[in-house]
Amino acid sequence: MRKRIKLVTSFFYLGHSPFMPGTMGSLGGLIVYFLVRENELLYAFSILFLFTLGVLFAGEAEKIYKHKDARMIVIDEATGMLLSLFFVPFSMFSVILGFFLFRVFDILKPPPCKRIERKTGALGIMFDDIIAALYTNLILQVIFRVFIRSS
């Protein structure tokens, strides 16, 4: 069971990358995005499925890795990346901007992300990235639906 938990929470071992594991997890989320983006139902299910897996297993992964929100746990980044682009009009510019914004929010942890991240267990791991993703999505919606559409 430990191997399965590591596989899931490290998002197929992307979290074991010695080079920016959170960014690698976000790139893993982008791979899923490109596979599901054209089917809204599958896309929504993918977000919910990854979030559920994260909530179920991230707390156990903390115990396995013996570290609070261990760097190897990146299912939260993969889920957040998917949520960041949900219902955002597709273009390579929107994908690149979304990736950049999500990584910035995930790293800087604007309120209330930092406070939520301090919580132990799966919810603390998952929800700070969900909030970073919601910030990203909101900014992208405004940019692409208000500013770009009206110009």
Side-chain angles (χ1 to χ4, degrees), residues 29-147:
L30 276 183
I31 292 169
V32 175
Y33 168 78
F34 281 109
L35 293 173
V36 302
R37 74 175 178 82
E38 293 183 9
N39 183 324
E40 291 174 359
L41 188 59
L42 183 58
Y43 191 165
F45 176 78
S46 298
I47 294 169
L48 185 60
F49 182 69
L50 288 179
F51 178 76
T52 302
L53 286 176
V55 169
L56 290 174
F57 296 120
E60 288 301 312
E62 272 187 330
K63 294 173 189 169
I64 291 168
Y65 291 120
K66 297 182 173 103
H67 193 274
K68 183 188 167 344
D69 200 359
R71 292 173 41 100
M72 290 74 74
I73 303 170
V74 296
I75 193 167
D76 50 335
E77 278 87 359
T79 306
M81 192 66 249
L82 276 175
L83 183 58
S84 292
L85 298 171
F86 195 53
F87 287 128
V88 172
F90 174 76
S91 70
M92 283 312 294
F93 178 67
S94 66
V95 171
I96 292 166
L97 182 59
F99 181 81
F100 175 76
L101 287 172
F102 175 67
R103 292 307 302 141
V104 167
F105 286 134
D106 186 33
I107 291 165
L108 294 181
K109 308 272 187 234
C113 295
K114 191 171 287 269
R115 186 173 32 125
I116 290 170
E117 182 188 41
R118 290 185 199 128
K119 306 246 184 254
T120 57
L123 293 179
I125 293 169
M126 294 301 294
F127 271 108
D128 70 301
D129 288 83
I130 295 302
I131 292 170
L134 290 173
Y135 285 157
T136 300
N137 191 281
L138 179 63
I139 290 169
L140 293 173
Q141 295 295 345
V142 168
I143 289 170
F144 290 101
R145 296 190 186 273
V146 176
F147 292 115

